Amino acid sequence: MEGVGEAQGEAKSPKGEKRLPHQAVLFLPGVLEGGRFRSERLPEGVEVALGGRALGDPEGEAGEGVFSLWPRTDGEGRLLRVQAATRLRQPYGGPEVAVQGILLYADRERLVLLVVPKEGEAFKVALRRDRGFAARLEPKRAYRVEGRLGGAHLLAERAWPLARFLEARKGGQALPPAIQGRENPYWAPAPGKGAEAPPPRGQRPSPPKEEGQKPPPRERGRRDPVRVWRAPESPEDPAPPDLGRPPALGKGQVMGIAGTGPYYLVLLPQAVAEWWPRVERLLPEFPRRYEVRFYPDGSRAVVAGDLEALKVWYKRLFRG
């Protein structure tokens, strides 16, 4: 992306303080030959140039191997152009993407970090979240994000608070736990917020601690298992008449939300072949307890008690 001088001013450290190094590097196997870099992993249409050592000494860096490249992305994380910088002298066993920068924006789909190089203007790098990486990150904090190149997009797989990561590596210590999946061991509510908030559903409030008493061992919250329910082919009497059918949809609908609580996302047989694979792919990201139902006529349904959560998640199906 283009340089952002106004954002660079926000990232400057006070005079006299040492600024943490920030970088964005993509590690890919390829070949530098005749002043040109090529790699089978680069998607079509990506502009490739030389920079760093590869530009200053192309013959010295020439050959086949793993190269460090400086990536530029659009706002959705698609790779636009790269500069091949250095051919690594030793095999690289780490991630394909390493971005160290200040987090400007984060949602369920992507992360946008401000990268402040030692020289030159600051710039932004966007990464899509890899499947399953839904942990919360705090904007305006510095992170190291690791991931990979997936097709045309940079994908984020895990992250660390940058200061903790650099401190551990500088001292030769084991790396702190990563932020990945849905877990962020460093997340804490802002001062004054969440101090008196009710405990999460399914957890009991801890009793008041007496002086000299050791706190009880912390119980890890358990997520309710997801149920899969299949309607009987021929229900035994007595049985409600709709036991083998989902709630009715509107006239002409083959997929939609129905019911008055619990609420059903219903797919009639005409919609199952086209839409059910996408439903299954996104089910792990549904934020509430749900149930999957199969009916004898081929209809299927996702059942949940939270209508708003079901509506928001349902809209994601159409965004791909």
Side-chain angles (χ1 to χ4, degrees):
M1 299 181 69
E2 299 299 326
V4 282
E6 68 278 5
Q8 183 182 11
E10 298 176 2
K12 286 183 179 178
S13 299
K15 190 174 181 180
E17 288 189 14
K18 185 177 180 181
R19 186 169 64 183
L20 294 174
H22 293 65
Q23 63 179 353
V25 185
L26 172 63
F27 298 94
L28 283 183
V31 178
L32 178 62
E33 189 176 37
R36 293 185 179 183
F37 175 79
R38 66 181 186 275
S39 172
E40 294 181 355
R41 297 293 306 277
L42 287 176
E44 286 188 26
V46 173
E47 179 186 344
V48 182
L50 301 185
R53 292 182 182 175
L55 179 62
D57 183 17
E59 293 184 2
E61 298 297 306
E64 183 178 355
V66 175
F67 286 76
S68 63
L69 297 88
W70 301 329
R72 295 294 184 273
T73 65
D74 64 7
E76 299 301 319
R78 281 181 290 264
L79 199 61
L80 295 179
R81 56 191 174 95
V82 295
Q83 283 184 298
T86 308
R87 180 166 61 90
L88 305 186
R89 299 301 184 257
Q90 299 178 4
Y92 188 72
E96 292 178 342
V97 180
V99 177
Q100 297 182 170
I102 298 168
L103 185 65
L104 296 179
Y105 176 78
D107 61 15
R108 290 187 177 184
E109 300 293 334
R110 63 194 172 103
L111 310 173
V112 179
L113 289 96
L114 175 68
V115 178
V116 186
K118 294 180 180 179
E119 297 179 1
E121 262 189 48
F123 58 93
K124 298 175 186 176
V125 170
L127 302 94
R128 279 195 177 182
R129 288 182 184 263
D130 194 22
R131 184 179 179 183
F133 182 33
R136 299 176 71 179
L137 300 183
E138 298 177 71
K140 299 183 180 179
R141 292 194 60 183
Y143 287 96
R144 176 185 175 94
V145 178
E146 294 185 351
R148 59 189 173 87
L149 176 63
H153 295 82
L154 298 186
L155 301 178
E157 295 179 312
R158 66 192 68 83
W160 286 268
L162 182 57
R164 292 175 181 261
F165 182 91
L166 295 176
E167 183 180 352
R169 205 158 70 168
K170 184 178 179 181
Q173 305 168 359
L175 293 180
I179 305 167
Q180 56 190 345
R182 296 178 180 271
E183 301 299 322
N184 183 347
Y186 310 99
W187 179 267
K193 294 184 180 180
E196 299 179 0
R201 187 166 56 182
Q203 295 184 11
R204 298 181 179 179
S206 55
K209 186 171 63 175
E210 299 179 3
E211 291 187 9
Q213 181 182 0
K214 292 184 179 180
R218 184 176 179 181
E219 295 184 4
R220 295 186 177 180
R222 294 179 58 188
R223 185 176 178 181
D224 291 332
V226 177
R227 293 180 57 199
V228 176
W229 178 88
R230 293 183 182 272
E233 292 292 337
S234 46
E236 299 178 3
D237 292 330
D242 61 345
L243 183 61
R245 297 191 304 270
L249 295 174
K251 186 177 181 180
Q253 277 189 297
V254 295
M255 180 172 70
I257 295 178
T260 57
Y263 305 96
Y264 292 67
L265 170 60
V266 179
L267 285 81
L268 297 184
Q270 304 93 302
V272 167
E274 180 179 357
W275 290 97
W276 189 252
R278 191 175 300 182
V279 169
E280 283 189 312
R281 189 171 69 247
L282 292 178
L283 272 176
E285 300 178 19
F286 192 78
R288 298 289 186 266
R289 187 183 179 202
Y290 64 88
E291 181 175 289
V292 177
R293 295 195 171 191
F294 295 83
Y295 297 91
D297 67 349
S299 300
R300 300 183 186 184
V302 177
V303 187
D306 190 326
L307 177 60
E308 289 305 313
L310 186 61
K311 284 181 177 179
V312 171
W313 179 81
Y314 179 43
K315 289 179 182 178
R316 293 197 57 204
L317 293 176
F318 300 97
R319 297 201 302 265

